[in-house]
Amino acid sequence: MDLEVNTLKNKQISRWDLDIFSKGSQGNFSLQLELDGDSISAVKADRGYLHRGIEKCFEKSLWFNVMPYADRIESETSVFNELALCLSVERLAEIEVPLRAQYIRIIVCELTRMTSHLKCLAKIAKACGADTATHFLMRDREKILDLFELLCGARFSLNYFRFGGVQSDLSEGFIERVVDLCDSIRLRLKEYNELLSYNFPFLERTAQVGCISKENIFKYGITGPIARASGVLSDVRRSRPYSLYNRIDFEVVHHALPVGINGGSIHDRFMVRLKEIYQSVSIISQLVDSLPAGSVKEVLIQQDFCVPEGESISLIESPRGEFGCYIMSDGSTSPQRIQFFTPSSKVFEILPEVLKNCTLDNFPAVVASLDLSLAEADR
Amino acid sequence: MEISQLITELQEKYSEHLIEIGSFGNIQELVCLSVKAESAPLIMRVLRDQFEFTDFISLLVAETPSREKKLRLSAFIRHQLSGSELVIRVDHSITGTDQVFVIPSLSKIWNAATSFEKELGDLFGVFFEGNNYFEKSKKRYLLPDNWEGFPLRKDYVFPMEFLDIPHSRPVGQSEPDEHGFGG
């Protein structure tokens, strides 16, 4: 094994191979840990187990058919995949999206952001042994997934966005339930804060643990909540507003620390995501209050739909960071190339760096706080 | 850093290395610099060191649909302070099936390019010279180690079987077997 072992503390070296099927596996990737006592001294990580050749599938299908493939890059945050693809195609084909459809897209995207953050918080809580908080967080996530089922019949892989709009208008009662959900989530966030955020055992497990410095954030190109927890103001919705984000009032949550304090710990990543859920609730409330009437789709995409020859690119802020879609078209009914670039690919590269010098009991919490999605990394 | 100012300076000092300066697709505000393949490392270092484009967003690789088949590599970078974005493009001619391209690695200039080089190198058959993964490991990154060929190439032919598992059902089989499976 060609691991680079850095410093040896106790010189009680052992090795732990965590394959994807082993009991301590943290996800769909394999880890080889070199342990010095209970401290991790070197890490080798391998991925590719979830490579499904989705980018080749795009090239084999029609523009009319690509949305379900885009969905399945990352099923739990599928609307972000769909949105990135739609923005690229609409830009190249110069398709206008009705205003009502743009509002609906952002509402669904922010609801999905909330589900993703709630799941990540639940994973962190479970890794730290806080089972009560895990159940509470997943319970609230289920309410949002019920809304998706009301909207389009699916909890994950919604297949709801279309080029030029969305599949269909909002279901009856959807907006009222969204308003009720927003009110209840605001109360729940206070509950999670009291239960967990400054709970002493939780702080012991998470504060100053798994720190990622600003230098490493820039070196590895990390974006999203991980970057914001390390004090880097990085949010595509603010720096490069797309869709309606230039009209919405929201705060970019980041962790601003005094000089000399290590930022980017598990606790910082937890708090950033918790506060971002509150921001998503605020965004949804603004959109729901001003939702315009009108159509949700003005262009009917059929099997002979062609995208004009050329290239386009779109960049959006997914729950895990900067997410983009590059398309190249030869003017035919099939894509020449569709490439997605995802935040988890870059986060996977920093994993060995973050895990070095962690202890074995902290290692699941560190991995959980990075919110790796191997589905979107491997595609 | 204004992009127009950057373009002026590049045209003054490095004009022999540039092929074309235009826009990326129909996105007028996104400037695309087409550079010669051998000059790409120099231009990229200048952009990073002199003009402070320190953020690496993505490496985009595609085969162009033109009659002269080309492998197009586009590096999407950003100025850390102003947020200005830029695309640097290099085209390589494709002369044969399963041709392996040897290209200087961008990971020496922007470390964030590492993951893209590993993935796209595996799928398009590009050897990024200087990338630690390619130097040390002879294994595939996303694909199984004994996979042959580069799937994202347009001339790629899917294997009919892998590890003795057939890719699809043989033509003509329409009856279930003796155990009642298939058909």
Side-chain angles (χ1 to χ4, degrees):
Chain A
M1 183 170 76
D2 55 349
L3 288 180
E4 291 163 15
V5 178
N6 288 325
T7 55
L8 304 180
K9 291 182 206 166
N10 303 318
K11 298 192 181 174
Q12 294 168 17
I13 305 300
S14 60
R15 185 174 137 179
W16 189 20
D17 285 349
L18 277 172
D19 205 352
I20 54 168
F21 299 115
S22 69
K23 204 161 182 190
S25 165
Q26 301 299 311
N28 289 296
F29 55 95
S30 69
L31 283 176
Q32 293 171 15
L33 306 175
E34 184 105 329
L35 300 169
D36 177 17
D38 75 336
S39 178
I40 298 171
S41 55
V43 178
K44 186 169 182 274
D46 269 321
R47 62 178 173 98
Y49 297 98
L50 278 183
H51 178 68
R52 294 150 287 161
I54 287 186
E55 291 179 356
K56 192 70 178 178
C57 293
F58 284 132
E59 294 171 22
K60 295 278 177 198
S61 69
L62 304 175
W63 283 110
F64 173 70
N65 291 341
V66 294
M67 206 56 77
Y69 288 118
D71 254 355
R72 278 147 182 85
I73 288 174
E74 219 292 314
S75 303
E76 294 185 359
T77 55
S78 60
V79 288
F80 290 96
N81 315 332
E82 293 175 31
L83 181 65
L85 181 59
C86 284
L87 289 176
S88 286
V89 169
E90 285 155 7
R91 192 170 228 177
L92 185 56
E94 294 176 356
I95 299 174
E96 260 199 58
V97 182
L99 194 59
R100 184 175 172 85
Q102 291 188 46
Y103 271 72
I104 293 171
R105 279 181 176 180
I106 300 300
I107 290 171
V108 175
C109 283
E110 292 300 323
L111 285 170
T112 308
R113 192 185 307 278
M114 284 161 60
T115 63
S116 176
H117 284 345
L118 285 167
K119 186 174 180 191
C120 181
L121 299 182
K123 282 196 294 190
I124 297 173
K126 188 172 181 189
C128 296
D131 285 338
T132 307
T134 309
H135 289 299
F136 282 7
L137 288 156
M138 294 302 275
R139 171 199 61 189
D140 287 319
R141 182 170 175 261
E142 285 299 311
K143 290 179 189 164
I144 306 176
L145 297 177
D146 287 344
L147 280 176
F148 291 154
E149 202 175 352
L150 174 66
L151 181 67
C152 59
R155 285 151 49 86
F156 305 110
S157 294
L158 304 189
N159 193 15
Y160 184 57
F161 292 6
R162 296 287 181 269
F163 302 139
V166 295
Q167 176 201 26
S168 56
D169 208 339
L170 299 173
S171 312
E172 200 181 314
F174 181 82
I175 287 294
E176 289 79 14
R177 287 180 65 170
V178 166
V179 170
D180 291 341
L181 176 87
C182 289
D183 292 337
S184 76
I185 291 278
R186 282 193 189 99
L187 294 172
R188 291 279 182 259
L189 289 173
K190 283 186 188 168
E191 215 174 270
Y192 302 142
N193 213 28
E194 284 160 8
L195 185 63
L196 211 51
S197 300
Y198 296 100
N199 177 281
F200 184 71
F202 184 71
L203 275 176
E204 282 274 289
R205 298 289 300 274
T206 58
Q208 302 291 298
V209 174
C211 290
I212 303 177
S213 63
K214 258 191 191 179
E215 290 72 35
N216 274 338
I217 293 288
F218 291 129
K219 181 182 171 189
Y220 289 91
I222 308 289
T223 53
I226 300 174
R228 294 192 280 275
S230 295
V232 175
L233 259 175
S234 140
D235 194 328
V236 181
R237 296 174 295 173
R238 181 53 54 82
S239 59
R240 216 170 169 269
Y242 54 93
S243 196
L244 298 172
Y245 282 108
N246 52 355
R247 305 186 202 185
I248 302 172
D249 184 27
F250 69 100
E251 192 190 316
V252 175
V253 176
H254 71 291
H255 203 69
L257 285 162
V259 173
I261 304 282
N262 280 334
S265 66
I266 301 175
H267 190 258
D268 298 326
R269 295 192 279 274
F270 177 91
M271 291 305 294
V272 162
R273 288 188 174 96
L274 193 67
K275 291 174 186 173
E276 281 188 5
I277 295 173
Y278 186 81
Q279 289 302 315
S280 292
V281 168
S282 163
I283 292 171
I284 292 169
S285 302
Q286 290 174 55
L287 293 174
V288 156
D289 287 343
S290 55
L291 182 66
S295 67
V296 296
K297 186 170 55 179
E298 280 172 8
V299 176
L300 184 63
I301 305 293
Q302 294 185 317
Q303 279 200 331
D304 57 355
F305 173 69
C306 298
V307 174
E309 191 173 342
E311 303 171 286
S312 182
I313 195 167
S314 65
L315 201 59
I316 63 172
E317 183 74 19
S318 78
R320 296 182 178 91
E322 276 181 13
F323 186 99
C325 177
Y326 164 68
I327 62 168
M328 181 190 272
S329 173
D330 58 358
S332 70
T333 51
S334 280
Q336 170 76 8
R337 172 83 168 121
I338 298 181
Q339 178 181 343
F340 281 87
F341 45 98
T342 62
S344 291
S345 310
K346 293 179 179 172
V347 173
F348 192 80
E349 295 300 314
I350 206 177
L351 187 64
E353 187 77 33
V354 181
L355 289 179
K356 260 185 222 171
N357 302 321
C358 276
T359 54
L360 269 183
D361 54 345
N362 290 330
F363 142 74
V366 173
V367 176
S369 71
L370 294 177
D371 198 13
L372 268 173
S373 165
L374 271 302
E376 72 173 19
D378 291 344
R379 298 182 301 284
Chain B
M1 156 61 59
E2 288 287 334
I3 292 288
S4 51
Q5 187 188 341
L6 164 82
I7 292 170
T8 313
E9 284 195 41
L10 284 174
Q11 280 174 326
E12 278 170 16
K13 295 177 188 172
Y14 303 101
S15 57
E16 66 274 19
H17 301 290
L18 302 176
I19 298 174
E20 193 190 347
I21 299 178
S23 63
F24 184 87
N26 63 352
I27 307 172
Q28 299 300 324
E29 60 271 19
L30 183 57
V31 171
C32 181
L33 301 174
S34 295
V35 303
K36 295 179 187 168
E38 57 276 11
S39 308
L42 167 68
I43 296 292
M44 288 177 184
R45 279 197 192 277
V46 163
L47 285 168
R48 188 198 65 179
D49 298 333
Q50 223 174 305
F51 297 102
E52 294 174 353
F53 278 84
T54 50
D55 284 356
F56 187 89
I57 304 172
S58 180
L59 179 64
L60 313 170
V61 183
E63 264 190 45
T64 55
S66 58
R67 275 196 193 167
E68 297 172 13
K69 284 191 182 176
K70 288 183 190 169
L71 191 73
R72 172 165 289 173
L73 277 82
S74 309
F76 193 11
I77 58 174
R78 185 195 287 139
H79 192 270
Q80 196 179 80
L81 294 173
S82 68
S84 306
E85 288 159 353
L86 195 62
V87 176
I88 309 159
R89 168 160 295 166
V90 177
D91 285 340
H92 297 266
S93 297
I94 299 174
T95 52
T97 313
D98 285 349
Q99 174 191 355
V100 176
F101 297 90
V102 180
I103 294 169
S105 173
L106 301 183
S107 60
K108 299 291 180 193
I109 306 170
W110 294 287
N111 189 67
T114 311
S115 61
F116 296 101
E117 290 184 347
K118 288 196 268 194
E119 287 173 18
L120 295 166
D122 206 12
L123 297 171
F124 275 98
V126 183
F127 180 82
F128 288 95
E129 214 168 24
N131 184 311
N132 282 334
Y133 183 82
F134 290 103
E135 305 282 310
K136 288 183 184 174
S137 166
K138 302 297 172 195
K139 294 182 181 178
R140 293 278 207 166
Y141 188 58
L142 291 180
L143 299 167
D145 292 334
N146 46 1
W147 192 272
E148 288 173 9
F150 308 113
L152 283 183
R153 295 266 189 95
K154 289 294 176 189
D155 53 10
Y156 178 72
V157 176
F158 280 98
M160 288 313 294
E161 65 171 34
F162 181 69
L163 298 176
D164 298 328
I165 300 167
H167 174 248
S168 57
R169 219 171 263 172
V171 174
Q173 181 179 327
S174 57
E175 297 294 326
D177 63 12
E178 59 191 37
H179 302 291
F181 294 111

